[in-house]
Amino acid sequence: MSYWIITVGTELVTGLTLDTNSQHISERLGKEGFFCSRQVSVPDDVAAIAEVLNEALASCDGTIITGGLGPTSDDVTREGVAEGLGLKLIFKDDLKAYLDRWYSRFESFQDIVYRQAYLPEGTVEIPPTTGSAAGFCLDAKGKVVIVLPGPPGEMSAMLESAMPFIRARWAGGESYFIRTLKTTAKSESWLETTLRDIMVREDVDVGILAKPGEISVQLRVRSDGKEAVDRIMNEVEKEIRSRLGRLVFALDDETLAEVVGRLLCSQQMTLAVAESCTGGLISKLLTDVPGSSAYVKLGVVSYSDDAKINLLRVSPHVVKGYGAVSEESALEMASGIRRISSADIGVSVTGIAGPGGQRARKPVGLVYVGLEAEDRRDAWEYNLSGPRWVVRARASQVALDAVRNYLLDRAGAL
Amino acid sequence: MSYWIITVGTELVTGLTLDTNSQHISERLGKEGFFCSRQVSVPDDVAAIAEVLNEALASCDGTIITGGLGPTSDDVTREGVAEGLGLKLIFKDDLKAYLDRWYSRFESFQDIVYRQAYLPEGTVEIPPTTGSAAGFCLDAKGKVVIVLPGPPGEMSAMLESAMPFIRARWAGGESYFIRTLKTTAKSESWLETTLRDIMVREDVDVGILAKPGEISVQLRVRSDGKEAVDRIMNEVEKEIRSRLGRLVFALDDETLAEVVGRLLCSQQMTLAVAESCTGGLISKLLTDVPGSSAYVKLGVVSYSDDAKINLLRVSPHVVKGYGAVSEESALEMASGIRRISSADIGVSVTGIAGPGGQRARKPVGLVYVGLEAEDRRDAWEYNLSGPRWVVRARASQVALDAVRNYLLDRAGAL
């Protein structure tokens, strides 16, 4: 079954807001075997919404629309859907009662909020969760239409509520299954060469895709039987793992920080991080994971030489002699953060994220990672390319990967 | 002039990768007065690319396509564009020479990389910057087509190279101008009510849009004269500022972290951050800004009580008596980080980001912000709603806003 995602908002097409809803929906429905054949963003405009909805219904099995259900006058998705499908908008008393309760927390509110009490006729209402707006499901021209609010938290909760409706309508058809092997391979073309014979298999479509610090192999199979798919996927995954070994760090939507967290938990180890050029990003990635307080003991963002010397006890001679961006400084930062935090593992990053800050023989992108544990003290040099945010993302990935590799070594040694 | 953005990649429609290119392009071309009427993502599929390209050319003045120009066999945007427009692909010797140089850094590479030496006939080549693939511009059916690689760093650099081509083709028509006032207003409907008479003006289209911790007012004017637009925009902006005061924190794409950085620089003040539930996000946001090392002295992610007590010197009695998530702990964390960093301002956040961790009378979303400076010591309580990442984003925003407000007070007092 294939479907479109339509996200509505002038803030999207003008670039003010990054659309994260499309990714979430594609990933979530992909787990059920449903294939998104197109993602579209349009402005808050009744005619544009009506037009794209009809295009979607003409070319796939349904569509999921998000955004434009709020209280303000530029929220016109209800009107766009009604116009596109030739439906009337009906005032719902239960939604009005909900809105009265919801807005009672504010000192005052205006009647404009009652716009959210209207839904197109013949819809199945999805009750609001944390927000003020309801979503809705409907059958149109034999296709499925699901309309959800734009705020990502509300959207994802209501998408779950809509899943039984979606499954009931789309059950039984051919499905599209995906499995993604995330790797720390160095280049796309190396990976393509290494997997060349697998890439040309007839029974599975293999794609390679790169983002900073992470190159993935995606296996895709169209089939009406999950068992046969699993057999093929398992076989191909096993073959790829046998060639790539530890370069494969995760499956599907698991992040490197989650893998590191899982390894730390299973080995009952704790971690502390000293960051310079990554400026808090590594701590942020680690603590994006719920429950990470169990193994992240401390993070220090030692952006200044002072902080490296006074707090992490990096020797002033090292900073002066080798520079703050050096293997020696990385090693002392790792030792320092481990000592002051009493964590089992200390990891550090120091480097030049750019665009400024480059020095003689220290170009933008030069990054050192240090790691200290009871039985290991090591540092690595990297020359990373790209703009500031890419260098920071890559540096965070290689630092987390150093921790992963240490923990894998250690598990092997136990 | 209106255009579409087409982003190509099975990784996009399957949700593996978040599309950030569309936002960047919309924002960049918006500054030139060009209006994106639709953003579309399609899979790596020759027919799908050809189809959507022709839809775009039928309904607007041109299109910008990104992605699918790499070396691997699923990179088929060249083929899709050639098929859609009925053009031949031509082998370019200069691109082959570039590829030979580019790939010489690798120990070995395969002939497959030469796929990137082909471009549709009649195109203006955009030389590669950091990556291996060239982009290209062409005139098709009287419309503009710009094709750029997918990696965001390469894409944004080449988009700049393509700007003269775009401007030359699109000069002279009606433009779409946008100005965005970012605010820390509490609710969309409050803002709509406060600005109700402005929202119904005929000469400017006013939109309100919310994301965690930030509600924006977007002013949009369609016109063929920039001066008249500026006059209207300035008048409306002035009126909105007179009603909202400090709630307006930035214009257009400036972030709250950039505003805080600018205020710190102009007052020659330094900042240090102690974070608990935000786990490094505040430091990360501050140091996303190039040059932030001039004013960010130190960040500490004191996720554990131990770190709060041993490193930040929060009194164990405070942690025991009031809890780590309390006004008293926030105040002591702010004092502690200020003391150990010798920064002028210490700011702290402690709270419960969820989904776990809630305690009696301490629900998920309870967050305290503390701030200490020479002439100020204060703390604030917030009850933030939403999933973990939303609570973290909101908590970071309110903490940065506390610093902004302190610096604004201080500037007023000087």
Side-chain angles (χ1 to χ4, degrees):
Chain A
M1 313 308 288
S2 85
Y3 68 100
W4 285 20
I5 297 169
I6 300 170
T7 55
V8 178
T10 303
E11 74 276 18
L12 302 173
V13 292
T14 56
L16 181 70
T17 302
L18 179 67
D19 170 31
T20 58
N21 283 346
S22 296
Q23 182 188 29
H24 178 89
I25 296 168
S26 287
E27 194 170 28
R28 180 65 189 86
L29 293 198
K31 288 190 181 135
E32 309 267 335
F34 305 134
F35 178 64
C36 173
S37 54
R38 193 180 280 200
Q39 297 166 344
V40 187
S41 301
V42 294
D44 294 304
D45 178 275
V46 172
I49 296 164
E51 184 187 5
V52 71
L53 171 56
N54 279 309
E55 288 171 31
L57 296 183
S59 52
C60 59
D61 302 303
T63 184
I64 299 189
I65 304 177
T66 75
L69 295 185
T72 66
S73 53
D74 54 345
D75 291 312
V76 295
T77 298
R78 277 175 290 265
E79 289 78 3
V81 170
E83 175 160 316
L85 302 177
L87 299 174
K88 281 197 200 113
L89 287 170
I90 308 286
F91 189 81
K92 310 281 266 190
D93 291 321
D94 62 319
L95 288 180
K96 177 178 181 296
Y98 177 83
L99 291 165
D100 284 332
R101 282 199 307 281
W102 202 88
Y103 283 97
S104 65
R105 71 175 83 176
F106 295 104
E107 272 174 38
S108 71
F109 66 91
Q110 306 286 325
D111 285 353
I112 189 169
V113 304
Y114 292 124
R115 301 183 66 243
Q116 301 169 95
Y118 287 89
L119 292 185
E121 58 187 330
T123 61
V124 178
E125 179 184 321
I126 311 174
T129 49
T130 55
S132 56
F136 53 95
C137 307
L138 55 91
D139 293 294
K141 305 177 184 179
K143 310 288 176 74
V144 171
V145 178
I146 311 286
V147 185
L148 306 171
E154 294 176 48
M155 187 281 299
S156 57
M158 282 198 214
L159 180 62
E160 295 309 317
S161 305
M163 284 311 302
F165 185 95
I166 299 172
R167 283 194 203 102
R169 266 46 173 205
W170 283 347
E174 188 187 66
S175 291
Y176 184 84
F177 295 95
I178 299 166
R179 189 176 295 182
T180 304
L181 284 75
K182 293 181 170 180
T183 85
T184 52
K186 286 266 161 56
S187 86
E188 280 178 272
S189 56
W190 175 84
L191 204 53
E192 170 129 2
T193 306
T194 306
L195 306 179
R196 176 166 284 188
D197 54 314
I198 296 173
M199 309 265 320
V200 297
R201 281 176 70 130
E202 299 269 308
D203 53 352
V204 55
D205 174 31
V206 182
I208 290 177
L209 29 118
K211 57 185 162 182
E214 181 180 309
I215 303 185
S216 294
V217 184
Q218 207 177 40
L219 312 179
R220 308 158 194 148
V221 179
R222 235 176 246 285
S223 168
D224 51 10
K226 186 147 179 21
E227 275 175 40
V229 172
D230 280 343
R231 202 175 53 243
I232 298 169
M233 293 270 198
N234 291 344
E235 180 199 319
V236 176
E237 178 183 337
K238 195 175 160 195
E239 182 57 35
I240 293 176
R241 284 185 182 274
S242 79
R243 295 187 198 179
L244 301 184
R246 271 193 197 176
L247 290 177
V248 177
F249 69 83
L251 276 188
D252 298 329
D253 49 352
E254 196 175 31
T255 66
L256 185 51
E258 286 171 333
V259 172
V260 167
R262 195 162 40 71
L263 291 169
L264 286 166
C265 281
S266 70
Q267 298 186 30
Q268 295 184 292
M269 299 279 279
T270 57
L271 177 65
V273 186
E275 305 182 58
S276 181
C277 63
T278 45
L281 179 55
I282 300 175
S283 288
K284 187 260 177 198
L285 292 169
L286 284 164
T287 63
D288 278 340
V289 183
S292 47
S293 53
Y295 49 81
V296 177
K297 293 265 284 191
L298 179 66
V300 165
V301 180
S302 56
Y303 227 52
S304 64
D305 287 354
D306 276 4
K308 291 183 185 75
I309 293 166
N310 297 330
L311 192 64
L312 296 176
R313 303 284 170 210
V314 175
S315 152
H317 303 295
V318 164
V319 172
K320 209 176 163 76
Y322 298 97
V325 178
S326 65
E327 191 178 307
E328 292 75 9
S329 287
L331 283 169
E332 294 219 351
M333 285 168 68
S335 305
I337 191 72
R338 181 167 173 256
R339 196 167 50 238
I340 64 172
S341 66
S342 311
D344 297 311
I345 305 168
V347 68
S348 68
V349 178
T350 178
I352 302 169
Q358 90 180 63
R359 282 153 252 177
R361 273 167 303 163
K362 307 236 167 144
V364 169
L366 179 67
V367 168
Y368 293 91
V369 170
L371 184 144
E372 191 189 82
E374 195 185 16
D375 54 351
R376 180 79 61 90
R377 189 164 193 267
D378 222 334
W380 300 266
E381 179 186 298
Y382 297 91
N383 286 285
L384 308 174
S385 58
R388 181 179 180 84
W389 75 267
V390 172
V391 170
R392 282 161 54 100
R394 287 200 164 132
S396 298
Q397 293 275 344
V398 294
L400 290 173
D401 205 39
V403 177
R404 181 180 73 101
N405 275 306
Y406 166 71
L407 289 166
L408 290 174
D409 286 345
R410 191 170 172 275
L414 281 175
Chain B
M1 314 306 289
S2 85
Y3 68 100
W4 285 21
I5 298 168
I6 300 170
T7 55
V8 178
T10 303
E11 73 276 19
L12 301 174
V13 292
T14 56
L16 182 68
T17 302
L18 179 67
D19 170 31
T20 58
N21 284 346
S22 297
Q23 182 187 28
H24 178 88
I25 296 167
S26 287
E27 193 169 28
R28 179 67 188 84
L29 293 197
K31 288 189 183 137
E32 310 265 336
F34 306 134
F35 178 65
C36 172
S37 54
R38 196 181 277 200
Q39 298 166 345
V40 188
S41 300
V42 295
D44 294 304
D45 179 275
V46 172
I49 297 165
E51 184 187 5
V52 71
L53 171 56
N54 280 309
E55 288 171 28
L57 297 182
S59 50
C60 59
D61 302 303
T63 183
I64 299 189
I65 304 178
T66 76
L69 295 183
T72 65
S73 53
D74 54 346
D75 291 311
V76 295
T77 298
R78 277 174 291 265
E79 290 77 2
V81 171
E83 175 161 316
L85 302 176
L87 299 173
K88 280 197 200 115
L89 286 170
I90 308 286
F91 189 81
K92 311 281 267 189
D93 290 321
D94 62 318
L95 288 180
K96 178 180 180 294
Y98 175 84
L99 290 166
D100 284 332
R101 283 198 307 281
W102 201 86
Y103 284 97
S104 65
R105 73 176 81 174
F106 296 104
E107 272 174 40
S108 71
F109 67 91
Q110 305 287 325
D111 286 352
I112 188 169
V113 305
Y114 293 124
R115 301 182 66 244
Q116 299 169 97
Y118 287 90
L119 293 185
E121 57 187 331
T123 61
V124 178
E125 180 184 321
I126 310 174
T129 49
T130 54
S132 56
F136 53 95
C137 307
L138 56 90
D139 292 293
K141 305 178 184 178
K143 309 288 176 75
V144 171
V145 178
I146 311 286
V147 185
L148 305 171
E154 294 176 48
M155 187 281 298
S156 56
M158 282 198 214
L159 180 62
E160 294 309 317
S161 306
M163 284 310 303
F165 185 94
I166 298 172
R167 282 193 203 105
R169 265 48 173 202
W170 283 346
E174 188 187 66
S175 292
Y176 185 83
F177 295 94
I178 299 166
R179 187 176 296 181
T180 304
L181 283 75
K182 294 180 169 180
T183 84
T184 51
K186 287 266 162 59
S187 87
E188 281 178 271
S189 56
W190 176 83
L191 203 53
E192 170 130 0
T193 305
T194 307
L195 306 178
R196 175 167 283 186
D197 54 316
I198 297 173
M199 308 260 328
V200 297
R201 280 177 71 129
E202 299 270 308
D203 54 351
V204 54
D205 175 31
V206 182
I208 290 178
L209 28 118
K211 55 186 163 181
E214 182 180 307
I215 302 184
S216 294
V217 183
Q218 209 177 38
L219 312 181
R220 309 157 191 147
V221 178
R222 234 175 246 286
S223 168
D224 50 12
K226 187 149 180 16
E227 275 174 40
V229 171
D230 280 343
R231 203 177 49 244
I232 298 169
M233 293 268 198
N234 291 344
E235 180 200 319
V236 176
E237 179 185 336
K238 197 175 156 196
E239 181 57 36
I240 293 175
R241 283 185 183 272
S242 79
R243 296 188 199 179
L244 301 185
R246 273 193 195 174
L247 290 177
V248 176
F249 70 83
L251 276 188
D252 297 331
D253 48 353
E254 196 176 31
T255 65
L256 184 52
E258 285 170 333
V259 172
V260 168
R262 194 160 43 68
L263 291 169
L264 287 166
C265 280
S266 69
Q267 299 186 31
Q268 296 185 292
M269 299 278 280
T270 57
L271 178 66
V273 187
E275 305 183 57
S276 181
C277 62
T278 46
L281 179 55
I282 300 175
S283 288
K284 186 261 176 198
L285 292 169
L286 284 164
T287 63
D288 278 340
V289 182
S292 47
S293 53
Y295 50 81
V296 177
K297 294 266 283 190
L298 180 66
V300 164
V301 180
S302 56
Y303 226 52
S304 64
D305 287 354
D306 276 3
K308 290 184 186 76
I309 293 167
N310 297 330
L311 192 64
L312 296 177
R313 303 286 171 207
V314 174
S315 150
H317 303 295
V318 165
V319 172
K320 211 179 161 75
Y322 299 96
V325 178
S326 64
E327 191 178 307
E328 291 75 9
S329 288
L331 282 168
E332 294 219 353
M333 286 168 67
S335 305
I337 191 72
R338 182 166 173 257
R339 194 166 51 238
I340 64 172
S341 65
S342 310
D344 297 311
I345 305 167
V347 67
S348 68
V349 179
T350 178
I352 302 168
Q358 88 180 66
R359 284 153 250 175
R361 272 165 302 162
K362 306 238 168 144
V364 168
L366 179 67
V367 168
Y368 293 91
V369 170
L371 184 145
E372 192 190 81
E374 196 187 13
D375 55 350
R376 182 78 60 93
R377 190 163 192 266
D378 223 334
W380 299 267
E381 179 185 298
Y382 297 91
N383 285 285
L384 308 174
S385 58
R388 181 178 180 85
W389 75 268
V390 172
V391 170
R392 280 160 57 100
R394 287 200 164 132
S396 298
Q397 293 276 346
V398 293
L400 290 173
D401 204 40
V403 178
R404 181 180 74 100
N405 275 307
Y406 167 71
L407 289 166
L408 289 175
D409 286 345
R410 190 171 172 276
L414 281 176

